Amino acid sequence: MAGGALTDEGGLKRAHLYEHRITSYFIFACIVGSMGGSLFGYDLGVSGGVTSMDDFLKEFFPGIYKRKQMHLNETDYCKYDNQILTLFTSSLYFAGLISTFGASYVTRIYGRRGSILVGSVSFFLGGVINAAAKNILMLILGRIFLGIGIGFGNQSVPLYLSEMAPAKIRGTVNQLFQLTTCIGILVANLINYKTEQIHPWGWRLSLGLATVPAILMFLGGLVLPETPNSLVEQGKLEKAKAVLIKVRGTNNIEAEFQDLVEASDAARAVKNPFRNLLARRNRPQLVIGAIGLPAFQQLTGMNSILFYAPVMFQSLGFGGSASLISSTITNAALVVAAIMSMYSADKFGRRFLLLEASVEMFCYMVVVGVTLALKFGEGKELPKSLGLILVVLICLFVLAYGRSWGPMGWLVPSELFPLETRSAGQSVVVCVNLFFTALIAQCFLVSLCHLKYGIFLLFAGLILGMGSFVYFLLPETKQVPIEEVYLLWRQHWLWKKYVEDVDE
């Protein structure tokens, strides 16, 4: 197999000795911890809806509003081409990109809970400022605070879930982050559909309600237990053992606890985790986990659909309410897909889901691009039957993404890094993810204007490339204990060349 696999010859050190039961304490910790995804999801869902609302455009972007209403004889793809408007969306992700390095320090020194609390406070402030915005500067300032919140939340929550989960169900547990993200997106779309009918301040309500998930995340952070991995890393061994007993539901935790202690001892020997991440022995984690998967997750084109679904559907000829309904339908499909992935990740494996979905997504993007090239152009109205077909195709694309690249883009990187580089590695993951998120947010509408249907064919080509990346470079991590994932690289046709010198 191109991706490589773990064989009995390699052997896991103590994995066969690990024990666990699903306890109410464990379920509570995972559900509360995963609420951080709702912050990310709510913002993804609310931004596109607000930027398509007439009241919002009249107050901050009157030029775009006039162009939208006048039906000028111009390419329909260019209806919303405005860099300041896209900066409203992308500024959040640039702020998150920068803040994630501070989040790495907080996560490593003060624990995963510390980052969750900081992120929720910052997100709350951003929601308040946006709801009260009187000018574009206030809008951007609010988005920056929201971005800091997302930077801290996205850095800590996937780590928290992966470290709390037993190896056999880690995929399912980690994907609670994706599920709450998808629910946040869907809720935001439903709210946008209602607030669009409240004139002239409905958009303020949409933006201000971002404070609700922030409050829930903050309250949850106050009562969450810290992860055993983080407690060991901080030298609190007895407390770590007590938490591990409670979350595993058994007193027989010595094998797993010993692995945590040994991983922590190795971590303490590393004075500069970011520099250590560049070491030759960590090349697989750097290439796959820190750069490849988080970048490719955004280059699928999915977030373009999430950001601008209402705007995009309006550009394709749907009315205002119809575009919000269409985007709500697609985001409901995303929630369904997230539930499907929770079942399938630990059953079929990460590689299978990524590869199978890549084939599907490639086909859907090609069909959408070719359909738009043949049937949609300068000043034309989109036939209702064809519009319905496009919505169905986009829903199918969302279903494929939502059970593969969406959740796996967070799950797999959180599994790959050893403890000594885990917080630094996750910071780079979030940084790369948010960089490409911001890039897509800033460039999609202008690319849609100039490339027209070609933007969907471009995404199709990128999906083909990222499927090949997974096939040749990513080993299967299903049910491998998180502190022993490093053993996979010794069996891989390429990565073993980089780790053999360490073994020697």
Side-chain angles (χ1 to χ4, degrees), residues 419-441:
L419 186 60
E420 64 264 25
T421 60
R422 191 168 296 153
S423 61
Q426 187 66 16
S427 286
V428 178
V429 170
V430 177
C431 181
V432 171
N433 185 288
L434 292 179
F435 173 79
F436 281 94
T437 303
L439 189 67
I440 294 293

Side-chain angles (χ1 to χ4, degrees), residues 45-61:
V46 83
S47 300
V50 166
T51 52
S52 71
M53 292 182 186
D54 288 347
D55 292 324
F56 177 81
L57 293 175
K58 280 190 283 188
E59 183 155 352
F60 296 104
F61 302 96

Side-chain angles (χ1 to χ4, degrees), residues 20-41:
H20 79 274
R21 291 189 300 108
I22 303 301
T23 65
S24 57
Y25 185 81
F26 168 74
I27 293 172
F28 168 79
C30 291
I31 291 176
V32 175
S34 67
M35 286 195 301
S38 63
L39 274 66
F40 191 32

Side-chain angles (χ1 to χ4, degrees), residues 119-424:
S120 60
V121 171
S122 182
F123 200 85
F124 177 86
L125 293 174
V128 171
I129 294 171
N130 270 173
K134 298 294 183 183
N135 51 53
I136 292 177
L137 183 61
M138 283 188 71
L139 281 178
I140 301 300
L141 180 62
R143 298 290 290 174
I144 289 173
F145 275 101
L146 291 171
I148 294 171
I150 284 178
F152 274 80
N154 286 13
Q155 206 276 347
S156 55
V157 172
L159 279 187
Y160 185 90
L161 295 174
S162 285
E163 291 181 344
M164 291 296 277
K168 290 185 178 180
I169 59 170
R170 188 173 62 243
T172 298
V173 171
N174 187 277
Q175 287 177 85
L176 286 170
F177 177 76
Q178 178 71 6
L179 179 62
T180 55
T181 298
C182 297
I183 292 174
I185 294 169
L186 179 60
V187 169
N189 273 269
L190 294 172
I191 288 173
N192 282 340
Y193 177 67
K194 288 295 184 182
T195 58
E196 188 206 21
Q197 304 166 30
I198 303 175
H199 304 288
W201 50 270
W203 63 269
R204 293 187 184 276
L205 184 59
S206 286
L207 295 177
L209 285 174
T211 57
V212 175
I215 292 171
L216 293 175
M217 183 174 169
F218 180 80
L219 294 176
L222 293 177
V223 297
L224 279 178
E226 186 56 86
T227 71
N229 309 60
S230 180
L231 291 170
V232 169
E233 193 174 22
Q234 297 172 53
K236 302 175 182 178
L237 299 185
E238 292 304 316
K239 190 172 182 180
K241 185 177 287 189
V243 171
L244 191 60
I245 289 173
K246 291 186 74 173
V247 296
R248 295 293 180 259
T250 175
N251 290 322
N252 298 323
I253 48 86
E254 286 302 323
E256 185 173 1
F257 183 74
Q258 191 59 39
D259 276 351
L260 295 182
V261 171
E262 291 181 6
S264 179
D265 290 341
R268 287 197 185 93
V270 176
K271 302 303 181 184
N272 191 324
F274 284 99
R275 183 181 300 168
N276 186 261
L277 191 60
L278 299 175
R280 179 179 174 85
R281 65 181 178 276
N282 290 321
R283 196 63 47 80
Q285 297 95 317
L286 178 67
V287 173
I288 300 174
I291 299 175
L293 290 179
F296 288 149
Q297 186 195 47
Q298 303 309 314
L299 293 175
T300 57
M302 180 61 204
N303 271 3
S304 300
I305 294 173
L306 295 181
F307 289 146
Y308 299 117
V311 169
M312 184 174 69
F313 283 125
Q314 281 192 14
S315 295
L316 296 178
F318 291 76
S321 295
S323 70
L324 283 173
I325 292 172
S326 300
S327 62
T328 300
I329 292 172
T330 59
N331 287 305
L334 194 60
V335 174
V336 172
I339 295 172
M340 292 170 62
S341 72
M342 292 179 69
Y343 167 77
S344 56
D346 286 321
K347 182 177 179 64
F348 299 110
R350 286 64 157 151
R351 273 172 53 85
F352 173 81
L353 293 179
L354 289 169
L355 292 171
E356 184 275 332
S358 294
V359 174
E360 274 194 64
M361 292 160 64
F362 171 80
C363 295
Y364 297 143
M365 277 295 188
V366 169
V367 174
V368 170
V370 171
T371 301
L372 292 177
L374 297 176
K375 298 294 184 180
F376 185 64
E378 303 282 340
K380 292 182 181 179
E381 289 189 11
L382 194 67
K384 289 186 178 180
S385 59
L386 189 58
L388 180 61
I389 292 173
L390 286 176
V391 171
V392 171
L393 286 173
I394 290 175
C395 281
L396 291 173
F397 178 88
V398 168
L399 280 171
Y401 171 90
R403 66 175 186 270
S404 59
W405 285 95
M408 299 305 127
W410 293 110
L411 168 62
V412 177
S414 72
E415 297 177 318
L416 297 184
F417 299 102
L419 186 60
E420 64 264 25
T421 60
R422 191 168 296 153
S423 61

Side-chain angles (χ1 to χ4, degrees), residues 37-93:
S38 63
L39 274 66
F40 191 32
Y42 187 84
D43 184 79
L44 281 173
V46 83
S47 300
V50 166
T51 52
S52 71
M53 292 182 186
D54 288 347
D55 292 324
F56 177 81
L57 293 175
K58 280 190 283 188
E59 183 155 352
F60 296 104
F61 302 96
I64 296 177
Y65 174 74
K66 290 177 182 177
R67 187 167 65 189
K68 174 184 171 183
Q69 298 300 317
M70 290 172 64
H71 301 289
L72 295 177
N73 186 22
E74 62 179 348
T75 306
D76 295 301
Y77 291 103
C78 298
K79 210 178 276 187
Y80 290 89
D81 181 21
N82 182 287
Q83 287 299 295
I84 301 299
L85 178 63
T86 53
L87 183 62
F88 166 73
T89 298
S90 61
S91 58
L92 178 147
Y93 303 102

